[in-house]
Amino acid sequence: MRIFYTKKMKSLLLCFTLCIFAIAGADLASDRAGLVALRAGVGGRTLMWNLSQASPCLWTGVTCNNERVTMLHLPGVGLSGNLPMGLGNLTQLQTLSLRFNALTGPIPPDFSNLSVLRNLYLQGNFFSGEIPDLVFGWQNLVRLNLGGNNFSGEISPKFNGLTRLDTLYLEHNGFTGSIPDLSVPPLVQFNVSDNKLSGSIPERFSSLDQSAFIGNSLCGKPLLACPGTTGKNNKLSRGAIAGIVIGSLIGVLLILLLLFFLCRKRSGKSDSLDVAPAKHDALQKTDRDSESISASNLALASAGERSDVKSGGGGDKGLVFFENVNKQYNLEELFRASAEVLGKGTFGTTYKANMETGFSVAVKRLKDVVSTEKEFREKIEEVGKMVHENLVPLRGYYFSRDEKLIVYDYMPMGSLSALLHANNGAGRTPLSWETRSAIALGAARGIAYLHSHGQTTSHGNIKSSNILLTKSYEPRVSDFGLAHLALPTSTPNRVSGYRAPEVTDARKVSQKADVYSFGIMLLELLTGKAPTHSSLNEEGVDLPRWVQSVVQDEWNTEVFDMELLRYQNVEEEMVKLLQLALDCTAQYPDKRPSMDVVASRIQEICHPILEEEEEKNHGSFKEADNGVSQQYYSVDSGASQA
């Protein structure tokens, strides 16, 4: 059927089309007007934007996407006074950072228009008043940092309505009342220290560090118990007391009878026991089933070598510490510690050793060391000098004829592999897009730092079980340098899913081969699938081939982890990061980017989120040292360390 347009219909159609374009242009013009109002109200002297430029996307601190302002990043630029009306024009704004300025007054009411806002950073200003109800309309909000202001009033239970919220910082304000039971948002980070709060801490926050609550009149875990909670029901009835006494007497009689029968049974057997092999058998048993053992099974030096123990830490024959260790101990103390197997990895077994003084360390027991003692000490000293915020630091080592041990700090969080795959994902906290982006960037920076030490410096064993995480999900790359010290104890196909196609010798891995392995790990992070023959999934998936087999238009529904599909506003970033992962896993090494380029590209792709991650990681909320660095050790195993 043919449609004939009259002259009037054509005019109406043209007018409608022009209106559509005018509306699109007006959106960016509206964003520009809001930014100009901000400059005029609080930043005329500091925001040196060139107003002659029609597009605000060219201004410092402004990031656009599809011709709309999506990020405004103006930390510490000297803004002062009350925020003017106008920023509410930026209806596509996802990240707003005005931290560490001198802004005052309340949050403007037109902020209610920021319906897609995901990250708001206002810490370190002088904002005042109560948290307005408009905040609870931001259904996409993930991170809210209002710390270090003059906010007052009670903390509203309406935060329960923000189901995507995972970070809430309210410390150093004037909030009063009690802490509501914020049970709906899966809060990963929470801090209300130095306010005027009182009452008991909700049970769901009892596992947090006490630094999140100090400076208030609060009680309950992790602080001191609330008055009256320990004294309740202390008075027992006479019947209960009588029951306890009778039960105790019966228990004593049973113990005496048991001892009597054991003594009779023992009298008929030889008194001599072959205890020498028991120590070795116990260690092999714990290698299989991870039961607790005595750390005398760790090294377990022979009688002739135990004389080395007396030299303590620092001697050529004792436990040698690196310069970055604040708390030292000797080999004898390490041997006396109780220990448990954490996992068996590519280069040996890792144990948790619980020291008698109350802290724990992680000890990797290397197998099949190929270096001489001189070479080992020289190489491990070089590895110990590599210090970066995204690397697990070495704390010390021990070398003897039969034992080669490396000591790390113990941390209970575990590996990226365990968080992605353990228990098939059941009962675990999903990793958000922001968290995965930050893990990718931090791991890339750590590996790029290793590569910066020379053309021949590589990691050699990059995989998700060697990416360990702090309590705030900051990544730490582990096991670097070990490929040059020991032969792999696992069969080659155990890591084939991460190994570049050109690698034939595990001790000779190039930097471009590291890039390939990182690309596989990046695909794993985005898809949620374990690669072929990984330590958690012997079947696994040939990730690069599988992703390339899926039409790009279907990546969003077929390739990405289901947990990421709820983040509707980051599809473009996810696709770009997936494409970068495919670039890293190119078949030919010269087609792969270098790790410093990879880190830069991740920063560019995920810029709105990850710059704020850096602020969080290095700002006033960084984990305290407490004498023992809050770093993670390498288990090199898929098993959870939690």
Side-chain angles (χ1 to χ4, degrees):
M1 182 178 67
R2 300 179 62 185
I3 298 176
F4 297 94
Y5 291 95
T6 64
K7 185 175 182 180
K8 186 175 182 180
M9 291 175 63
K10 291 180 179 178
S11 298
L12 288 173
L13 183 61
L14 177 61
C15 187
F16 177 77
T17 304
L18 290 174
C19 287
I20 293 295
F21 282 105
I23 291 172
D27 288 339
L28 187 59
S30 178
D31 289 351
R32 186 182 190 280
L35 294 173
V36 170
L38 176 69
R39 181 182 183 277
V42 297
R45 295 183 179 180
T46 58
L47 296 178
M48 305 304 292
W49 291 335
N50 185 357
L51 299 184
S52 64
Q53 294 174 320
S55 175
C57 302
L58 302 174
W59 296 349
T60 302
V62 179
T63 300
C64 295
N65 189 11
N66 295 327
E67 292 300 307
R68 292 302 306 274
V69 175
T70 57
M71 175 180 178
L72 182 59
H73 187 248
L74 300 171
V77 296
L79 306 181
S80 61
N82 288 16
L83 279 178
M85 296 284 285
L87 283 182
N89 290 9
L90 281 62
T91 56
Q92 295 302 307
L93 193 66
Q94 296 180 21
T95 297
L96 175 60
S97 175
L98 301 175
R99 56 192 169 89
F100 302 123
N101 284 287
L103 297 169
T104 57
I107 295 176
D110 68 339
F111 269 39
S112 60
N113 298 330
L114 306 180
S115 59
V116 299
L117 192 67
R118 300 170 63 199
N119 307 289
L120 179 61
Y121 303 93
L122 299 181
Q123 68 268 33
N125 284 281
F126 301 99
F127 288 107
S128 57
E130 297 185 3
I131 298 177
D133 283 346
L134 63 89
V135 170
F136 308 117
W138 296 333
Q139 292 300 310
N140 295 299
L141 195 65
V142 177
R143 291 191 177 90
L144 178 63
N145 194 331
L146 303 179
N149 282 283
N150 296 320
F151 286 108
S152 58
E154 296 190 354
I155 300 174
S156 175
K158 293 180 181 179
F159 278 112
N160 277 322
L162 303 178
T163 56
R164 292 186 176 182
L165 190 69
D166 72 9
T167 297
L168 180 60
Y169 284 132
L170 302 174
E171 71 282 359
H172 302 294
N173 279 284
F175 291 110
T176 55
S178 60
I179 301 175
D181 188 6
L182 304 180
S183 57
V184 175
L187 288 176
V188 176
Q189 298 177 82
F190 181 72
N191 195 321
V192 291
S193 61
D194 294 310
N195 279 282
K196 300 176 182 178
L197 300 171
S198 58
S200 61
I201 297 171
E203 185 177 354
R204 74 180 310 266
F205 295 130
S206 61
S207 61
L208 296 181
D209 190 84
Q210 62 179 342
S211 61
F213 305 100
I214 60 175
N216 293 284
S217 299
L218 297 167
C219 61
K221 290 184 178 181
L223 303 179
L224 296 176
C226 294
T229 57
T230 57
K232 292 182 179 179
N233 300 323
N234 279 346
K235 295 183 178 180
L236 299 175
S237 65
R238 293 181 179 179
I241 294 174
I244 293 173
V245 172
I246 294 172
S248 299
L249 290 174
I250 294 174
V252 171
L253 290 174
L254 289 174
I255 292 172
L256 291 174
L257 285 172
L258 181 62
L259 290 174
F260 173 74
F261 284 116
L262 287 174
C263 290
R264 288 191 62 184
K265 186 176 181 180
R266 185 182 180 87
S267 63
K269 294 185 178 181
S270 172
D271 290 333
S272 63
L273 295 174
D274 187 8
V275 297
K279 182 184 297 183
H280 181 263
D281 293 342
L283 178 58
Q284 291 191 340
K285 182 177 186 296
T286 53
D287 279 351
R288 293 192 300 269
D289 57 22
S290 300
E291 292 181 355
S292 296
I293 59 172
S294 167
S296 61
N297 292 322
L298 267 178
L300 329 190
S302 63
E305 291 168 336
R306 287 302 292 261
S307 60
D308 300 340
V309 172
K310 297 179 181 179
S311 64
D316 288 341
K317 295 295 184 180
L319 188 59
V320 181
F321 290 96
F322 295 109
E323 295 179 357
N324 58 352
V325 178
N326 295 324
K327 189 167 186 175
Q328 296 190 6
Y329 40 87
N330 59 40
L331 198 59
E332 182 66 45
E333 292 176 280
L334 182 62
F335 288 166
R336 286 202 306 266
S338 63
E340 61 185 87
V341 177
L342 293 171
K344 296 180 68 175
T346 302
F347 299 108
T349 303
T350 302
Y351 302 82
K352 174 188 176 184
N354 302 304
M355 308 295 287
E356 292 179 348
T357 50
F359 69 98
S360 301
V361 295
V363 182
K364 181 176 285 291
R365 185 183 189 188
L366 297 180
K367 292 286 188 180
D368 299 325
V369 172
V370 295
S371 305
T372 64
E373 179 174 355
K374 180 181 178 182
E375 291 173 338
F376 180 91
R377 292 185 185 276
E378 289 176 351
K379 290 179 180 178
I380 201 67
E381 289 287 346
E382 288 299 316
V383 174
K385 293 176 182 177
M386 295 182 181
V387 179
H388 187 271
E389 62 190 359
N390 294 119
L391 297 180
V392 177
L394 276 67
R395 296 307 185 189
Y397 68 92
Y398 170 75
F399 186 100
S400 72
R401 183 179 68 246
D402 298 321
E403 295 294 343
K404 288 83 181 174
L405 309 175
I406 301 179
V407 181
Y408 304 92
D409 290 341
Y410 168 76
M411 285 291 164
M413 187 61 180
S415 69
L416 173 61
S417 177
L419 289 176
L420 285 174
H421 311 300
N423 300 321
N424 294 320
R428 65 178 187 84
T429 301
L431 293 178
S432 67
W433 163 247
E434 289 83 0
T435 300
R436 298 189 199 213
S437 303
I439 291 171
L441 179 62
R445 286 176 171 170
I447 299 166
Y449 170 81
L450 292 175
H451 288 187
S452 69
H453 282 68
Q455 294 296 322
T456 59
T457 305
S458 61
H459 184 289
N461 192 29
I462 296 169
K463 52 186 177 180
S464 60
S465 58
N466 281 337
I467 306 298
L468 306 176
L469 307 171
T470 68
K471 290 181 180 178
S472 54
Y473 293 93
E474 300 164 28
R476 302 286 186 266
V477 180
S478 67
D479 263 25
F480 53 93
L482 299 189
H484 306 289
L485 293 173
L487 292 172
T489 58
S490 57
T491 56
N493 69 337
R494 293 282 291 181
V495 292
S496 62
Y498 296 95
R499 181 171 294 171
E502 72 274 10
V503 174
T504 57
D505 187 339
R507 292 173 295 169
K508 298 178 180 179
V509 176
S510 68
Q511 292 185 355
K512 286 301 180 74
D514 276 351
V515 174
Y516 182 93
S517 300
F518 178 83
I520 296 293
M521 189 275 293
L522 201 54
L523 290 174
E524 185 178 1
L525 193 64
L526 291 168
T527 65
K529 296 183 181 296
T532 306
H533 300 302
S534 71
S535 57
L536 281 169
N537 190 332
E538 283 301 322
E539 298 300 325
V541 178
D542 187 334
L543 287 175
R545 181 177 297 180
W546 173 68
V547 172
Q548 290 167 346
S549 70
V550 179
V551 179
Q552 185 168 344
D553 291 342
E554 299 178 358
W555 279 359
N556 288 339
T557 56
E558 299 295 330
V559 170
F560 291 118
D561 191 346
M562 291 292 293
E563 293 176 358
L564 293 176
L565 297 182
R566 61 182 177 139
Y567 300 97
Q568 300 296 323
N569 299 319
V570 293
E571 291 180 357
E572 183 177 354
E573 289 92 334
M574 289 162 58
V575 169
K576 288 181 178 178
L577 202 58
L578 191 68
Q579 186 61 60
L580 174 59
L582 293 177
D583 292 345
C584 292
T585 55
Q587 189 74 9
Y588 300 103
D590 58 350
K591 299 292 185 182
R592 303 168 197 156
S594 61
M595 278 308 305
D596 57 344
V597 170
V598 171
S600 297
R601 286 179 61 181
I602 296 175
Q603 174 67 48
E604 292 170 3
I605 293 169
C606 308
H607 175 79
I609 296 167
L610 298 182
E611 276 213 358
E612 298 304 335
E613 284 289 336
E614 289 185 359
E615 173 274 321
K616 179 185 69 180
N617 294 346
H618 301 292
S620 58
F621 312 112
K622 189 175 182 180
E623 296 177 56
D625 194 313
N626 294 327
V628 181
S629 173
Q630 300 294 302
Q631 307 288 342
Y632 284 71
Y633 61 93
S634 173
V635 172
D636 192 12
S637 169
S640 172
Q641 302 168 41

